[in-house]
Amino acid sequence: MDDARAVMTGIGSCLPPDVVSNDELSRSLDTSHEWIHSRTGISRRHVVKPGVSTGDLATAAGAAALESAGRRACDLVLLATTTPDQPCPATAPQVAARLGCAGVPAFDLSAVCSGFVYGLETASALIRSGLYGSVLLIGAETYSTIVDPTDRNTAVLFGDGAGAVVLERGEAGTPGAVLHTRLGSDGTEAGLIAVPGGGSRAPRPDPHGPPSYFRMEGKEVYARAVSTMTRSAREVAEEAGWRPQDVDAFVGHQANARILRAVARRLGLPAERVVCHMGEVGNTAAASIPLALGWAASRGTLTAGDRVLLTAFGGGLTWGSAAMTWPGALRPVTAVEPAPPAV
Ligand code: ACO
């Protein structure tokens, strides 16, 4: 049991084909490409067409990850998302059914931008316990459905997309092994990142009032993100027996390039080891780390056994980090956005 680990054997992604540039946003909002790019590193983002859901993107990315791993099914499907297809039921069972995995356990996991790392620890623990041999872990979001398009503070930051990985049982020495994970939360600061209406506390926002959109206190979140991600990443690297400066690739939650550079500086990591993918896709919340991993895989710059440090921070507040090695012969698969299912 001690040497048993979850090992990443497949990776897939799905980005909707429609792309919105900073210049396009600047036509309807009091903003500019210069402001958005210099403050965040974001140049453009993908958005779904009306009617295309998180579950649609998750299904496409999940199928791509299964194909990448050379598998037709998995023993468990986990979907990390803050934008499920509906409040009830969970989206994961429908995704599992559409993937041909009907019958296996499937559930949603909600930890906002830390959702993928929360899922990684959950999947790893379930695989290490021997309960499941393989897990399909998907991070998928459609923030375009919850962001206020008239709010320049948030509308410029987010994008839609899905990334997925297949994890299978292996050993700590196998390239692709998830060696250590560490999670945390602080619910006293839940108000910093929230969609206030639509849950049990405020079930029906006033139908004549403004809709309940996603809100974020960006400046407060920025400061906490830098200090918490630095601490969390350092802790997990130490648990793995690594000096942070020896890490080959640093894959942080893709909210803001300035945040990732600040964390890397504090860790003593050279800037060129920081994976920055938000320029093309924006902040895709729970999808951001698997999308960044897929992008890194497609560039072919990492080799089997390289040390990869993941870290995330988001609403809840939640955070988490993982130390893993890069898999051998990982073939990333990119899916096209599927049509919504016929009803
Ligand atoms: N265009 C032009 N000006 C803008 C825009 C915009 N799109 N948005 C805000 N501004 C203005 C503000 O109104 C403010 O003006 P003022 O000084 O006159 O009041 C000014 O720009 C500066 O605003 P700040 O909030 O100080 O800008 P900052 O440099 O902090 O950047 C940002 C804002 C990008 C949101 C940053 O704070 C950030 O990245 N925060 C953290 C995000 C994060 O890590 N999220 C992770 C979790 S997300 C999740 O869990 C779903």
Side-chain angles (χ1 to χ4, degrees):
M1 154 87 182
D2 266 348
D3 215 32
R5 289 292 190 281
V7 174
M8 195 204 292
T9 56
I11 190 157
S13 60
C14 176
L15 289 166
D18 291 358
V19 175
V20 178
S21 69
N22 291 347
D23 284 336
E24 282 170 272
L25 283 178
S26 306
R27 284 186 212 128
S28 56
L29 288 169
D30 180 16
T31 189
S32 63
H33 169 73
E34 205 285 323
W35 191 97
I36 302 169
H37 190 260
S38 64
R39 299 290 180 116
T40 68
I42 296 167
S43 296
R44 57 192 69 84
R45 71 286 294 146
H46 294 247
V47 294
V48 290
K49 290 184 176 61
V52 174
S53 75
T54 293
D56 297 331
L57 300 182
T59 304
L66 287 171
E67 183 188 333
S68 165
R71 298 184 66 96
R72 297 175 66 89
C74 268
D75 301 339
L76 171 71
V77 176
L78 273 182
L79 172 60
T81 187
T82 335
T83 49
D85 287 8
Q86 59 279 309
C88 173
T91 305
Q94 297 160 70
V95 171
R98 290 169 69 186
L99 288 171
C101 301
V104 306
F107 61 93
D108 291 3
L109 194 155
S110 177
V112 198
C113 297
S114 311
F116 182 79
V117 179
Y118 266 62
L120 203 57
E121 176 163 296
T122 306
S124 291
L126 291 170
I127 286 174
R128 292 183 73 188
S129 75
L131 206 53
Y132 300 104
S134 60
V135 177
L136 175 62
L137 170 60
I138 309 168
E141 303 279 14
T142 49
Y143 264 57
S144 64
T145 63
I146 62 167
V147 164
D148 179 354
T150 66
D151 175 15
R152 70 175 183 173
N153 292 297
T154 52
V156 304
L157 303 177
F158 293 92
D160 302 336
V165 299
V166 172
L167 298 157
E168 300 183 50
R169 194 174 163 82
E171 288 168 4
T174 316
V178 180
L179 299 173
H180 290 276
T181 54
R182 183 176 273 251
L183 307 179
S185 79
D186 177 6
T188 65
E189 301 285 10
L192 291 179
I193 299 169
V195 178
S200 60
R201 191 172 296 285
R204 279 176 296 280
D206 176 1
H208 304 296
S212 184
Y213 285 123
F214 175 90
R215 290 189 207 147
M216 178 169 69
E217 302 294 331
K219 211 184 252 310
E220 288 289 314
V221 173
Y222 188 106
R224 284 174 173 75
V226 171
S227 58
T228 308
M229 286 164 89
T230 303
R231 194 182 67 241
S232 169
R234 185 176 281 131
E235 283 169 359
V236 91
E238 277 168 9
E239 279 171 14
W242 301 345
R243 296 183 311 166
Q245 59 268 40
D246 296 334
V247 165
D248 297 296
F250 175 62
V251 187
H253 169 51
Q254 305 281 309
N256 189 319
R258 285 160 56 216
I259 292 178
L260 295 189
R261 285 197 294 266
V263 174
R265 227 175 10 254
R266 283 163 172 75
L267 290 172
L269 259 163
E272 61 273 14
R273 304 213 194 127
V274 180
V275 173
C276 271
H277 181 229
M278 77 288 285
E280 302 300 311
V281 297
N283 180 348
T284 56
S288 92
I289 288 186
L291 281 173
L293 285 171
W295 183 68
S298 67
R299 295 167 80 208
T301 48
L302 292 165
T303 52
D306 277 358
R307 285 160 289 202
V308 181
L309 186 57
L310 313 181
T311 189
F313 181 86
L317 298 173
T318 57
W319 58 86
S321 296
M324 63 178 293
T325 53
W326 193 250
L330 187 68
R331 186 176 64 90
V333 177
T334 306
V336 290
E337 177 191 75
V343 277

